[in-house]
Amino acid sequence: MPLEDGDLFMNKWLVPLVLLVAPALVMAGGEPSNGDGVPTEMAEGRQIYEQYCASCHGWQGEGAADWNKPDEKGEMPPPPHDETGHTWRHSDAMLFRMIAEGWRHPFNETDQLTMPAFKDNLTDEDIRSVIEYLKTFWAGDQRRYQQSESHSRDRHPS
Amino acid sequence: MKAICYRLNSALTGFFLLAFAVVMPALVQAQTANDGQPVKALTTNSSGALLVLRESGLFVLDGKTATEIPLPPSDSVPRPNSLATGADGSLYLSGPGLGIWRYEYASERWQSLSHTLPDLGITAIAAHATQPDTLYAYLGEGGMFRSRDAGAEWMKVDSGPREPVEAFLHSDMPGSMESGWLFAGTTRGVARSMDCFCFWGDAGDLRGTVTVIGYDPSAPENVYAVIEGQLHHSSDGGETWAGIETPQAVTALTFSPTEGLLVGTENGNLLSRHASGGWGPVHE
């Protein structure tokens, strides 16, 4: 299948590229990963993000190109986690559920869980710290919105 | 033989005449509110009564009687154009220059819900299908607002789809990450988002200015939209659409627990859809 070949090609090149670029990024990263009052949870969150999420959602949470419409398979591509995306619209509980259980847009044309479930690879603690890291991509008013969504969910469970 | 036929014939005619005589006044009464102008909005309250917004006013149609509900007071010329029924059966009314109002059936009074909105330029409203205190409003340039306390406090949640919104709907169709879906009729077609406001996308490729949108609460994948008077139906949550023939151009629609799909037309008529697919006057 040509699509799978493409994926293989991507992976073959992505891994060395990541190995090459990651240390540079870590060094160049503005925020120190520990000390200076930055909680170690954030450093852990970042490490988990870069290991498990960045390949699809982008190193800076920028998402896939053309993320806002279905791709040629009829699947929604990985959306950005930064202020241009909609991750900040979800409460902590919902983010946790999507990362643990996985998620696919109900109108995707395939049944594949395009956002993989991470509950077998990440502990609850890991998931919580990667969620905290996602919040560093958001603008201040988005963080406030998301905080109130997280609280109002206690009052409006669905 | 001939005589029997004749007698049967005249008996039948007599029966129909009688039936007509009984039904006719009811029909006249039910349609008295018809001002010959397009029906502006329709909704159904929790007891199954139909609420009809006309150029000439707002009417409750309960069985065969039509009662007028006086419209809320307004400084400017009010242009009510949108009705919604909340999950608890509350009636909401809105329009440009009018803001948003809730009707108290018991006290027969309107209560203004616009105090924390930036202006009264409400284009469309929607009520959450299952949470009685959650309401949505579209203010044109102002964007989309949500209240979670029955209209006391409004918060801007989103700027809405790219194109301006003419009609708004919340539905409890399954599959959402949160508690349901929002459908917006825009100048480009139908836009759809989960009710987390996490991304407005196209619902199918129906194109045109959608002025009316509704769904079947007993089968929520069934969504209806009107473009230039033409009714369209989707049975898959807005992915694909097909036209439905109607005798007159449609200007409003709702679902009644007893009669199913009801439409209001440009001539002011109220029609319900028979199981056979044909249309007949409401309460016939």
Side-chain angles (χ1 to χ4, degrees), chain B residues 89-146:
Chain B
S90 295
L91 173 65
Y92 298 95
L93 171 80
S94 74
L98 186 68
I100 306 174
W101 297 79
R102 179 179 38 240
Y103 187 67
E104 314 285 351
Y105 284 102
S107 62
E108 299 187 358
R109 284 171 66 163
W110 291 99
Q111 188 193 350
S112 170
L113 307 179
S114 314
H115 303 298
T116 63
L117 284 169
D119 64 77
L120 301 181
I122 317 295
T123 314
I125 49 169
H128 196 289
T130 55
Q131 295 171 4
D133 291 343
T134 303
L135 305 171
Y136 304 94
Y138 179 73
L139 276 75
E141 304 267 289
M144 297 219 158
F145 286 72
R146 179 183 61 199

Side-chain angles (χ1 to χ4, degrees), chain A residues 67-68 76 86 89-90 94 98 103 105-107 145 149 152-153 156 158, chain B residues 146 148 155 157-158 173 175 177-178 181 192 194 196-199 236 239:
Chain A
W67 61 272
N68 49 11
M76 290 305 283
H86 42 68
R89 298 244 176 218
H90 302 292
M94 187 55 68
M98 285 191 290
W103 171 255
H105 195 280
F107 289 112
Y145 178 99
E149 285 297 289
S152 79
R153 267 197 82 75
H156 298 274
S158 50
Chain B
R146 179 183 61 199
R148 280 178 161 163
M155 183 171 105
V157 276
D158 198 10
M173 181 171 77
M177 280 184 209
E178 299 283 338
W181 295 82
R192 181 184 57 204
M194 293 178 213
C196 41
F197 287 87
C198 35
F199 186 60
D236 54 10
E239 287 296 280

Side-chain angles (χ1 to χ4, degrees), chain B residues 39-44 50-52 83 252-254 262-264 270:
Chain B
V39 176
K40 297 211 287 185
L42 285 175
T43 187
T44 315
L50 192 60
L51 287 122
V52 190
L83 291 175
L253 73 84
T254 187
L262 297 180
V263 300
L270 302 173

